[in-house]
Amino acid sequence: MSKKVIEVFNLTKKFGNFTAVDRISFDVKEGEIFGFLGANGAGKTTAMQMLCGISMPTAGEGTVAGYDIIKENERIKRNIGYMSQKFSLYEDLKVWENIRLFGGIYGLSDKTIAEKTNELLKQLDFEQERNTLVKYLPLGWKQKLAFSVAIFHEPRIVFLDEPTGGVDPAMRRQFWEMIYDAADRGITVFVTTHYMDEAEYCNRVSIMVDGRIDALDTPAELRRRFSADSMDEVFRQLARKAKRGDQ
Amino acid sequence: MKTLKFLIEKEFKQMFRNPLIPRLIVLFPTMVLLVFPWAVSFEIKNIRVDVVDHSKSVYSKRLTDKIAASQYFILHDTPPDYNAAMLNMENDETDMIVEIPASFDVDLVKRRESGVGVAVNSVNGTQGLLGSNYVMQIVNDFSSELRGELTQTLPPQTRVSFMRLKKMNIVPQYKYNPALDYKKFMIPGFMVLLLTILCGILPALNIVMEKENGTINQINVTPISKMNFILAKLIPYWAVGLVVMIISITLSFLIYGLWPGGGVVAVLISSIVFILSVSGLGIIISNYSETMQQASFLVMFFILILVLLGGMFTPVSSMPAWAQAIAAINPFNYLTTAFRMLYLNGSSLADVSGNLLALGAIAVVLNGWAVFSYKKRG
């Protein structure tokens, strides 16, 4: 069995009386594509932000990339990439400027950044957009760029929060090819999604309902256990119990 | 330190791509220095005055003419009695009533002293105070004029002794601003105001804008140090402030002939320390605000305090103790004083070093707080 890069135990986040994330425990293995599913408001984003060190857990413990999520959150940040649900690269910077900025923040040298930028733009077939302000890119391209920036510094784990939200099917396919490429290079992928066909692409998935993890296994095993034909049906069966959210 | 370079680069690119900010940096000081010094002045001119002359003598006529000739007063009317004049004031046709008693000339000649009654509309307190002062000056002037003339009419023997007794005349000599030009007094203050507005408001809106756009999340998941992030936010405002100062110094020389006797370098050095403190304040506000709206309200509130309790319009020394306590930690106050010293007194950098030390201490506290209040984890 390969090494665990994420391990959490009873991780909890409360906002006042509201328990967004309720004692979740799970682990993610190195090189895995881990699907983090759940209805809107189930607590996926909050859980992910605790793992990334930008949200302080109310209770519980865990490690990411071998570092404690409570005490060593800044060290975790050296080893992860993050792509938030809302596009959050700088819209008033050009494509190459965004890449350069984040490369620089992660400590890459000017030379490395320049070389890797050329390589990346070629790979993405983005060369003609090098000097385009990011705000003028179509959404699908923005998402691809955001993902590329998130893994530009070769992190051990990349966290993707609904990376394909609002993107057309063809672009979604391309996006998942990029995810597989990253996984092949040894980057662990932690991804939330609403698309159940995408859940099938994951090695393992967890399904969150009302702040708790109700199921966690490989897609095939989950289908078997819930005697369902598809992940979509598994999800419906679980989500039906939800008391919050807007579905 | 290496990451700082990338961050500063990013801040400058964003600043220059903003459609408004580069223009503001040039237009704002130009407009303020071209317009405000002419309008914001505590000199009160054009006070409308009614003279009620019961004496109708040569002397009273001369006093009336003297008042009418003054640049401060406009002779509105000469009503027959005080009540008629009061009616004018109630109708807001006149600001001031000077009543000359019937015995004015007799008293002047016989008793060598006389009085006039002055009533001023003091709804506008400054006008009331200054208006009555101006009249007093004119009356004093008039009386010494008369004294001189009357002395000539006395027999030689008495004249000599009278001249010896003659009241001493006080002639004020205005140092550092000989023409008593209010503009020159206000311009250094306007420069501080410009720096406060540009280098206080812009950083206050900066981080909160990153919060609204969500870009702050992408920054917070990186291992970037809080110190570097805040420094990268501060440093561009030094550049902004220096551009503002260079424009201001140039314009105030070209238009008003005002040049810092203490040297341009001293002015710029003082500005740099000051910018650090107001930008720090702006960043603190930005850190505590969730939206641009909150940040704008907060920054306006603080700028109001800085300016009104900062000695630009009213001297700190005449404020009540609690206001003086606030002024003692108000960076605006220290730079206004320093600029006035450098510009008007011709003081040197060494003379304002106390102010610079105070500003430096305020800057250290505020920026320490700015770094502290920037939370990478919610």
Side-chain angles (χ1 to χ4, degrees):
Chain A
M1 216 46 198
S2 55
K3 240 169 68 188
K4 290 168 181 169
V5 286
I6 302 176
E7 273 183 288
V8 294
F9 183 70
N10 277 347
L11 202 60
T12 303
K13 177 81 181 189
K14 290 184 181 174
F15 297 105
N17 287 328
F18 176 73
T19 308
V21 175
D22 190 6
R23 288 167 294 160
I24 59 170
S25 305
F26 64 93
D27 50 58
V28 178
K29 297 180 197 72
E30 188 152 44
E32 207 176 15
I33 298 178
F34 188 86
F36 205 57
L37 275 52
N40 291 330
K44 302 183 302 282
T45 299
T46 310
M48 190 181 263
Q49 287 181 343
M50 284 191 282
L51 298 178
C52 294
I54 53 174
S55 176
M56 185 72 177
T58 314
E61 55 192 328
T63 59
V64 171
Y67 296 108
D68 188 87
I69 58 171
I70 314 284
K71 294 194 200 85
E72 299 176 302
N73 61 318
E74 289 300 306
R75 303 182 90 161
I76 289 175
K77 289 172 186 173
R78 288 184 194 285
N79 295 285
I80 61 168
Y82 173 78
M83 176 179 167
S84 76
Q85 189 172 352
K86 182 171 182 279
F87 178 75
S88 38
L89 293 184
Y90 289 94
E91 303 235 333
D92 50 356
L93 293 185
K94 294 172 181 169
V95 170
W96 72 270
E97 291 169 341
N98 268 293
I99 300 172
R100 177 177 160 77
L101 171 65
F102 285 99
I105 289 177
Y106 284 105
L108 304 185
S109 69
D110 290 77
K111 190 162 160 272
T112 317
I113 293 173
E115 284 167 11
K116 286 195 72 176
T117 303
N118 288 337
E119 210 176 291
L120 173 67
L121 293 178
K122 199 171 284 173
Q123 243 173 45
L124 292 175
D125 204 11
F126 247 36
E127 278 157 309
Q128 69 283 10
E129 305 296 344
R130 170 188 280 268
N131 287 314
T132 309
L133 287 184
V134 162
K135 65 177 159 199
Y136 298 123
L137 293 179
L139 182 65
W141 291 42
K142 279 183 178 173
Q143 300 292 78
K144 276 178 161 183
L145 180 67
F147 178 66
S148 307
V149 168
I151 58 168
F152 192 75
H153 59 290
E154 302 285 339
R156 288 179 63 194
I157 312 161
V158 65
F159 291 89
L160 309 173
D161 197 357
E162 288 180 29
T164 53
V167 169
D168 69 61
M171 196 62 99
R172 266 172 59 201
R173 241 199 112 68
Q174 286 176 22
F175 199 92
W176 272 90
E177 276 164 21
M178 289 173 68
I179 292 179
Y180 271 106
D181 275 351
D184 283 346
R185 299 212 306 267
I187 299 175
T188 307
V189 179
F190 187 101
V191 57
T192 75
T193 180
H194 276 145
Y195 299 105
M196 289 307 133
D197 57 328
E198 292 184 354
E200 307 274 0
Y201 302 151
C202 301
N203 299 119
R204 286 194 304 153
V205 298
S206 75
I207 299 179
M208 266 186 102
V209 178
D210 289 352
R212 290 182 312 278
I213 292 183
D214 271 15
L216 194 168
D217 220 320
T218 61
E221 186 55 34
L222 285 176
R223 282 197 308 270
R224 196 190 59 77
R225 198 194 308 164
F226 288 86
S227 23
D229 293 335
S230 64
M231 279 304 294
D232 200 46
E233 212 180 311
V234 173
F235 186 77
R236 276 171 212 275
Q237 286 188 35
L238 284 168
R240 204 175 293 145
K241 302 185 297 183
K243 291 182 182 63
R244 65 184 201 222
D246 55 7
Q247 25 86 53
Chain B
M1 267 305 152
K2 231 177 62 189
T3 56
L4 192 57
K5 175 186 84 175
F6 292 95
L7 288 168
I8 293 176
E9 212 179 280
K10 162 219 168 224
E11 295 295 333
F12 273 111
K13 281 175 189 162
Q14 288 187 298
M15 191 184 286
F16 283 112
R17 275 188 202 141
N18 187 298
L20 214 58
I21 291 175
R23 289 178 211 187
L24 265 185
I25 293 168
V26 177
L27 283 181
F28 210 60
T30 311
M31 289 305 293
V32 165
L33 283 175
L34 282 180
V35 177
F36 286 0
W38 302 94
V40 181
S41 161
F42 282 141
E43 279 178 322
I44 303 272
K45 286 185 182 164
N46 306 332
I47 302 172
R48 296 162 301 177
V49 60
D50 276 14
V51 176
V52 184
D53 186 357
H54 298 293
S55 163
K56 307 221 186 317
S57 60
V58 181
Y59 291 128
S60 68
K61 187 82 186 68
R62 270 176 65 185
L63 180 60
T64 310
D65 287 347
K66 213 170 155 57
I67 291 172
S70 153
Q71 56 167 332
Y72 301 117
F73 298 109
I74 295 171
L75 184 63
H76 164 257
D77 196 5
T78 47
D81 58 29
Y82 185 77
N83 289 341
M86 203 56 208
L87 203 65
N88 282 341
M89 190 181 286
E90 278 165 10
N91 291 334
D92 194 28
E93 285 165 17
T94 188
D95 304 306
M96 191 159 162
I97 303 166
V98 176
E99 194 177 21
I100 304 175
S103 57
F104 187 65
D105 57 332
V106 180
D107 287 349
L108 270 177
V109 176
K110 294 258 170 68
R111 294 172 40 214
R112 307 205 180 284
E113 68 173 36
S114 182
V116 292
V118 178
V120 198
N121 181 354
S122 297
V123 169
N124 178 341
T126 319
Q127 175 180 289
L129 191 70
L130 291 179
S132 55
N133 275 341
Y134 293 154
V135 168
M136 238 147 76
Q137 262 177 36
I138 291 176
V139 173
N140 276 344
D141 256 22
F142 182 63
S143 69
S144 43
E145 239 179 76
L146 283 186
R147 188 174 282 119
E149 291 169 19
L150 289 172
T151 316
Q152 305 297 325
T153 63
L154 293 172
Q157 215 42 37
T158 342
R159 188 158 65 199
V160 172
S161 61
F162 190 85
M163 278 168 79
R164 252 190 231 125
L165 283 174
K166 190 176 169 186
K167 200 180 86 187
M168 196 119 61
N169 218 357
I170 299 167
V171 182
Q173 217 186 349
Y174 299 102
K175 289 271 200 180
Y176 310 122
N177 191 356
L180 267 194
D181 184 352
Y182 215 81
K183 292 191 286 295
K184 292 192 170 153
F185 177 65
M186 290 308 278
I187 285 167
F190 280 120
M191 292 178 184
V192 184
L193 189 65
L194 280 167
L195 286 181
T196 308
I197 290 176
L198 283 167
C199 301
I201 294 183
L202 292 179
L205 298 182
N206 186 310
I207 295 180
V208 82
M209 190 160 75
E210 294 224 25
K211 286 186 193 172
E212 285 198 344
N213 291 341
T215 49
I216 195 91
N217 260 340
Q218 200 65 52
I219 289 289
N220 287 345
V221 291
T222 69
I224 192 172
S225 83
K226 285 165 67 165
M227 177 85 117
N228 275 347
F229 184 73
I230 298 299
L231 272 180
K233 293 287 177 196
L234 282 175
I235 289 168
Y237 297 106
W238 271 351
V240 170
L242 286 180
V243 170
V244 168
M245 281 312 296
I246 287 165
I247 295 175
S248 304
I249 292 171
T250 312
L251 281 181
S252 52
F253 175 67
L254 292 178
I255 305 172
Y256 307 101
L258 198 58
W259 188 254
V264 174
V265 177
V267 171
L268 292 182
I269 290 176
S270 318
S271 311
I272 283 177
V273 189
F274 173 77
I275 294 165
L276 205 56
S277 63
V278 280
S279 296
L281 177 68
I283 288 175
I284 295 172
I285 291 171
S286 212
N287 280 336
Y288 284 105
S289 310
E290 285 308 314
T291 62
M292 298 276 262
Q293 200 180 36
Q294 288 173 357
S296 336
F297 270 116
L298 269 178
V299 76
M300 287 303 166
F301 174 70
F302 279 104
I303 285 185
L304 209 60
I305 295 177
L306 290 187
V307 174
L308 293 183
L309 299 181
M312 177 185 176
F313 296 106
T314 50
V316 170
S317 53
S318 55
M319 290 177 189
W322 58 267
Q324 291 197 23
I326 295 175
I329 52 165
N330 184 349
F332 194 98
N333 175 26
Y334 288 105
L335 191 69
T336 309
T337 316
F339 271 11
R340 281 182 178 155
M341 285 168 78
L342 293 169
Y343 257 102
L344 304 176
N345 292 17
S347 306
S348 68
L349 195 58
D351 297 323
V352 297
S353 60
N355 292 54
L356 295 194
L357 276 178
L359 278 176
I362 294 169
V364 168
V365 171
L366 287 178
N367 288 293
W369 190 356
V371 173
F372 169 78
S373 59
Y374 164 49
K375 299 275 187 236
K376 286 183 76 181
R377 174 149 78 169

